[in-house]
Amino acid sequence: MSRTNTAQERTPAATGAGVNRWVVLLVLCVSLLLVALDATILHVAVPSLTEDLRPSSTALLWIVDAYPLVCASLLILFGTLGDRVGRRRVLLLGYALFGIASAVAALATEPGVLIAARALLGVGGAMIMPATLSILRAVFPDRRERATAIGVWTAVAAVGAATGPVLGGFLVEHYWWGSVFLINIPLMALILPLGRRLLPESRGAADGPWDVLGALMAAAGVLGCVLGVKRAGAGDPFLALPTAGPLLLGAALLVLFVRRQRRRPHPLIDMGLFSRAAFTTSVGCIVIGMLALVGLELIAVQYLQLVLGLGPLETGLRLLPLTFAAMAAGATGSYTLRRIGPRRMVGWGFVLTAAAVLLLTFMGQHDRPLLLTVGFVLLGFGLQTTLFSAYESMLSEAPQRSAGGAAAIGETSYQLGAGMGIALLGSVMNAAYAPGLAAVPGVPAEASRAAANSLGEAYQVADQLGGAAGGALHQAARHAFVNGLHVTLFVSAGLLLVGAVMARRLPRMMECPEESAEPVAAGSAVRGLSKRAECPGPSGSPEGVAVAEPSPLARPSEPRVPATRDAIEPAGSGRPAL
């Protein structure tokens, strides 16, 4: 249904001078950086936190998992709500909640308070993440510039996730565990007024009532699936009720949610997006990419700390090459995408990542810094290349009116991939590690079973045994872990090659159709949105699409882009399938 008249009849709430779209991108990236940091910064603080608060094993699990569980489950809810009530409005509320929750978490003296604060952080994160991506979609209608912006956006996400352990290790070593939350407060105090002043308001389709029941079904369904996957990753039996129950219930709710959306005249999410091969393939590639990245990072951290004996800060520093390589891939992603197209970019990104993973199989019980550095550089560049192109293809395939829902699907895929990576690769690691401790000379069977749970627990059991038996168990555990690491890397490489085959369903070239099918009307906050939509082919020549649109600065009377900052309203029925 066309919404051109509706968009033109909107009256912006306020007026103001236009804001450069690259300044908007900077604000969005700072927002995303904080959310990405908080997903990993707590990991190195767990030992200090445990010593201070003395949580039970269950409480500790919820302290770590409350944030990603709540965040993943609410992405669709807040992504589609932003399409209705305004993405900027949802984003600013997310800033406020994130700052308040950070203060509560930093000052928590009881495990229950910290769990509640982490859950509230998840609510704030779910408001922020899809809003940043959907606002980016609105302020960069030209696909060439949007590709550059998404490259920066994905690089910032990688930087935040990778530098979280480094920053967390520094803060824990010099201050106390609460400081990993406290640093959010001054940053949020800065970004909230900046966002209120600089960010444009944008909305999507507002036809019909918002499906509250459907949003809650989606939230509960995603929560059940992610919870079941995380329990499986923690080592719980897959068929046990605490694991299979949430998985089955979550899957059933998601099936009902999809059926409900197909029947409704004004659904939360346009299920027709999944009939487009490019959109569905991009989502699948995001899942596989995150599955490999998070699972490998978790195992790499254990290897660096428990096998090589590095401290938290040094472990974080060893992972920095991965971050720098991801930044380089994001910076060059737009150019590469225009030259070789989404299909080859995603496919070769997966192949490069698989090669890096196979290179890392040469790791052993002794430190090989050069090998690790080269492997992490290739891993970071390959995965970031894949994620960048997959996000760009997914977002460009979705019409602007559904940007919030599409962004929520992408971020949910990101979170599901991360949970599945921990579950799947963690299960493979455990299955390959445990048999190596079944018959260690001089070690009782009960001690061997306890040591088979994890390498850290094996070291504790070995210290308790002492003597020759303890030394034998310590050495056997190290050897079994390295063998399990190699098996896990081979499995991961196989999954990445599956992703490379999936990428063959993506378009060969980066097509840039005229954006007038989705004009930006009534209240654009951004100067210079109308650009020449031209995408060069592999040889550098134009692909055949060259639509020259005059800049609104050159034509002040142009009604499509007035200089206000309060509403970027999409119109039209969306872009064609690639």
Side-chain angles (χ1 to χ4, degrees), residues 290-354:
M290 285 308 301
L291 187 154
L293 177 62
V294 174
L296 291 176
E297 276 193 344
L298 178 64
I299 295 171
V301 168
Q302 292 178 331
Y303 172 78
L304 293 171
Q305 290 188 339
L306 298 178
V307 176
L308 300 185
L310 304 182
L313 181 57
E314 192 174 0
T315 297
L317 293 175
R318 285 292 189 95
L319 293 172
L320 280 183
L322 189 151
T323 302
F324 293 141
M327 293 171 63
T332 59
S334 178
Y335 175 85
T336 307
L337 183 63
R338 293 198 304 270
R339 288 294 178 265
I340 68 175
R343 179 184 299 183
R344 280 181 285 182
M345 188 167 179
V346 173
W348 284 111
F350 273 129
V351 170
L352 179 61
T353 308

Side-chain angles (χ1 to χ4, degrees), residues 64-397:
V64 175
D65 287 346
Y67 174 80
L69 282 174
V70 172
C71 185
S73 64
L74 297 179
L75 286 168
I76 292 176
L77 189 153
F78 287 119
T80 56
L81 180 63
D83 284 343
R84 294 303 182 98
V85 304
R87 297 151 185 159
R88 172 176 168 267
R89 182 177 300 174
V90 172
L91 181 63
L92 294 179
L93 181 57
Y95 288 162
L97 283 178
F98 209 84
I100 293 171
S102 297
V104 175
L107 302 176
T109 57
E110 297 290 337
V113 176
L114 184 55
I115 292 171
R118 289 279 288 170
L120 189 59
L121 278 170
V123 176
M127 291 180 169
I128 294 171
M129 292 177 71
T132 60
L133 198 53
S134 53
I135 291 175
L136 185 151
R137 172 69 176 86
V139 299
F140 288 94
D142 177 79
R143 186 170 182 179
R144 293 183 309 159
E145 289 193 342
R146 182 164 67 244
T148 301
I150 292 175
V152 175
W153 186 90
T154 54
V156 167
V159 168
T163 56
V166 180
L167 181 59
F170 173 82
L171 291 172
V172 171
E173 287 186 8
H174 291 83
Y175 302 99
W176 94 110
W177 62 265
S179 60
V180 302
F181 300 109
L182 207 60
I183 61 168
N184 292 337
I185 298 174
L187 293 174
M188 281 299 172
L190 173 66
I191 201 70
L192 182 59
L194 279 178
R196 187 173 183 274
R197 178 178 178 81
L198 299 178
L199 293 179
E201 184 60 282
S202 70
R203 294 181 178 86
D207 299 323
W210 187 54
D211 185 9
V212 179
L213 178 60
L216 294 176
M217 289 172 62
V222 173
L223 177 62
C225 290
V226 176
L227 180 60
V229 166
K230 280 186 171 291
R231 286 189 177 277
D236 291 353
F238 187 78
L239 297 179
L241 183 61
T243 302
L247 270 175
L248 293 175
L249 180 60
L253 286 173
L254 289 179
V255 169
L256 293 175
F257 170 76
V258 170
R259 295 182 62 181
R260 178 181 176 85
Q261 297 309 298
R262 286 177 172 171
R263 291 196 305 265
R264 292 183 64 84
H266 305 292
L268 281 175
I269 294 176
D270 180 10
M271 291 299 162
L273 290 173
F274 290 97
S275 66
R276 303 181 180 186
F279 185 88
T280 306
T281 303
S282 298
V283 170
C285 289
I286 291 171
V287 172
I288 292 180
M290 285 308 301
L291 187 154
L293 177 62
V294 174
L296 291 176
E297 276 193 344
L298 178 64
I299 295 171
V301 168
Q302 292 178 331
Y303 172 78
L304 293 171
Q305 290 188 339
L306 298 178
V307 176
L308 300 185
L310 304 182
L313 181 57
E314 192 174 0
T315 297
L317 293 175
R318 285 292 189 95
L319 293 172
L320 280 183
L322 189 151
T323 302
F324 293 141
M327 293 171 63
T332 59
S334 178
Y335 175 85
T336 307
L337 183 63
R338 293 198 304 270
R339 288 294 178 265
I340 68 175
R343 179 184 299 183
R344 280 181 285 182
M345 188 167 179
V346 173
W348 284 111
F350 273 129
V351 170
L352 179 61
T353 308
V357 168
L358 293 176
L359 178 64
L360 292 175
T361 58
F362 290 98
M363 293 186 304
Q365 298 187 36
H366 302 288
D367 194 3
R368 304 181 68 179
L370 181 60
L371 172 67
L372 288 174
T373 300
V374 173
F376 286 157
V377 166
L378 295 178
L379 182 67
F381 192 91
L383 269 180
Q384 185 63 22
T385 296
T386 296
L387 290 174
F388 159 76
S389 188
Y391 265 110
E392 198 283 333
S393 298
M394 180 203 71
L395 202 60
S396 295
E397 188 68 14

